Amino acid sequence: MKNTHHYILTWQCPDTSGVLAKVSQSLFEHGAFITETSQYSDPYTDTFFSRIAFDDRELTVSFSAFRQAIDLLAKPLNMHYQLREKENFPNVVIAVSKDDHCLVSLLTKWKAGVLPVNIVAITSNHQDCQPLAQWHNVPFHYLPVNKDNKAQQEQALLAIYQQYNGHLLVLARYMQILSDELCRSLRGQAINIHHSFLPSFKGAKPYHQAHKRGVKIIGATAHYVTADLDEGPIIVQEVKPINHAFTIEHMVHLGHDLEAIALCNAVKMHAEQRICINKDKTVILS
C-alpha cells in the first residue's frame, strides 16, 4: 500500500479572472488530490490569496516535477507561493528574557504534538530560562546585552538563527528592540507578542497604567516584526473583559495567559501556512 504524503500550497497573485481555475486545473492534471482549500480576494489591493492542502495518492509525477509545474504556472501569473510537505515542520528559534509564561506554553504545546514546529534553539539575554530549556533538551544560548555590545549580540542572535536553519524567530517576551536592519532581513519570519494596551500605554508597567485608568478590557496581540516598533501586521488578538474589582496582580496574570494563547496561535497559523502578508495587514486562510 502506498504511503501517502500530504502537502500545503499557499499562494498569492494579482487578482484576475480565472486565477483559481488555472491553479486548480494544474493540480488536477498532475493528480493532486485536494483535501482542503481556502481563498480570499481583497478588493482594496486587487490581490488573490489561496491555501490548498493536497496529498499524492493519485499524483502522476514526482514531487520535484510537480514543483516545476507550479513554478512554470507562477511566472505568467506573477504568483508568489510556498509549497512544502505538511510533515516538514519549520525550525523555530525562540528569544526570551526573564518572563517565561510564553516560552512554557510554546514548549508544552510542542512536546504535546499540537504545535507543528521544530523548536531548535532558545536564546536569551538572561539565564532565568536556561533550566527550562535544559528540561526540554533544547539548546540554550546566553547572549547578555548591554549598551556597548547590543549590535554584536544581535549579530550573534542572527548567527544562531542561521546555524539552526531557522524558518521562524519567535520573540516570546524578549525585551530587546531589534534593529531596523534585522527586522527587514527577517520580514515575515519573526513574530512578537505584546499587551494590547499599546500604543495607549507605552513604556514601563503598562498594566499599572491601565489599572490606574480603569480599563474594562484586557488583551494581547501577536504580530509580525517590522522596523516600526509594535506596528507590524497583526496575526492574532486575544481579549477578556475585566472590571473595577481586578487588582493589578490579577490583570498581570490574566494578561500573561492571553499573551501565551495569542503567541501560540500565531505560531501555529504561521507553521500551517495560513498567513499571507497583505501590505500592512494579514490574510488568515482558515
Side-chain angles (χ1 to χ4, degrees):
M1 183 176 179
K2 181 181 178 181
N3 184 24
T4 302
H5 296 84
H6 299 264
Y7 302 91
I8 303 172
L9 171 65
T10 303
W11 54 281
Q12 62 189 75
C13 67
D15 195 7
T16 57
S17 178
V19 290
L20 180 59
K22 291 177 182 177
V23 175
S24 299
Q25 181 64 26
S26 180
L27 267 65
F28 171 75
E29 289 175 352
H30 293 90
F33 194 96
I34 296 175
T35 57
E36 183 182 342
T37 180
S38 177
Q39 52 273 330
Y40 172 69
S41 175
D42 187 348
Y44 299 100
T45 61
D46 291 323
T47 305
F48 188 84
F49 304 86
S50 180
R51 178 185 184 273
I52 300 175
F54 64 94
D55 63 45
D56 64 354
R57 73 184 81 174
E58 297 179 359
L59 206 64
T60 58
V61 296
S62 66
F63 181 65
S64 60
F66 179 84
R67 183 183 290 276
Q68 291 177 358
I70 295 298
D71 195 46
L72 288 174
L73 178 67
K75 292 177 181 178
L77 295 178
N78 195 18
M79 182 175 96
H80 300 280
Y81 73 91
Q82 290 179 282
L83 173 62
R84 67 171 176 85
E85 188 170 352
K86 183 179 180 181
E87 298 302 316
N88 186 17
F89 297 154
N91 294 333
V92 170
V93 175
I94 300 175
V96 63
S97 289
K98 290 185 175 182
D99 289 334
D100 65 0
H101 54 284
C102 289
L103 178 61
V104 167
S105 186
L106 288 165
L107 289 170
T108 301
K109 290 181 180 295
W110 168 56
K111 284 291 187 179
V114 297
L115 197 61
V117 300
N118 297 318
I119 297 180
V120 293
I122 297 170
T123 72
S124 181
N125 56 324
H126 296 278
Q127 292 179 295
D128 300 58
C129 294
Q130 186 169 3
L132 183 61
Q134 292 173 339
W135 172 262
H136 288 276
N137 198 30
V138 178
F140 182 87
H141 298 267
Y142 174 46
L143 301 175
V145 177
N146 57 53
K147 63 179 181 179
D148 298 320
N149 73 351
K150 184 173 177 61
Q152 176 185 343
Q153 294 297 65
E154 186 176 271
Q155 286 303 307
L157 171 60
L158 180 59
I160 290 168
Y161 183 76
Q162 295 170 338
Q163 173 190 342
Y164 288 94
N165 190 28
H167 302 112
L168 179 67
L169 175 65
V170 179
L171 306 183
R173 290 304 300 270
Y174 182 61
M175 308 306 288
Q176 294 290 322
I177 298 174
L178 302 184
S179 69
D180 292 357
E181 180 181 357
L182 183 58
C183 290
R184 284 191 289 267
S185 66
L186 293 179
R187 184 180 184 275
Q189 298 180 53
I191 293 177
N192 192 20
I193 186 71
H194 68 70
H195 50 83
S196 285
F197 300 128
L198 291 171
S200 298
F201 300 105
K202 292 184 178 181
K205 297 185 176 181
Y207 291 104
H208 291 70
Q209 298 178 53
H211 183 268
K212 185 176 180 181
R213 294 290 298 275
V215 299
K216 297 298 183 283
I217 195 168
I218 194 171
T221 299
H223 64 92
Y224 283 113
V225 175
T226 65
D228 296 321
L229 181 62
D230 291 332
E231 294 185 15
I234 293 171
I235 304 170
V236 176
Q237 291 182 297
E238 295 286 338
V239 295
K240 288 285 186 181
I242 62 173
N243 58 39
H244 60 277
F246 276 68
T247 65
I248 295 173
E249 290 74 19
H250 289 154
M251 291 173 62
V252 171
H253 292 157
L254 179 57
H256 284 183
D257 288 344
L258 296 174
E259 288 168 7
I261 292 170
L263 184 59
C264 284
N265 286 341
V267 171
K268 186 173 188 291
M269 290 178 186
H270 180 95
E272 293 177 343
Q273 290 183 204
R274 297 187 182 277
I275 311 170
C276 295
I277 296 178
N278 185 20
K279 293 190 175 180
D280 294 329
K281 302 186 295 183
T282 61
V283 172
I284 308 297
L285 299 169
S286 58

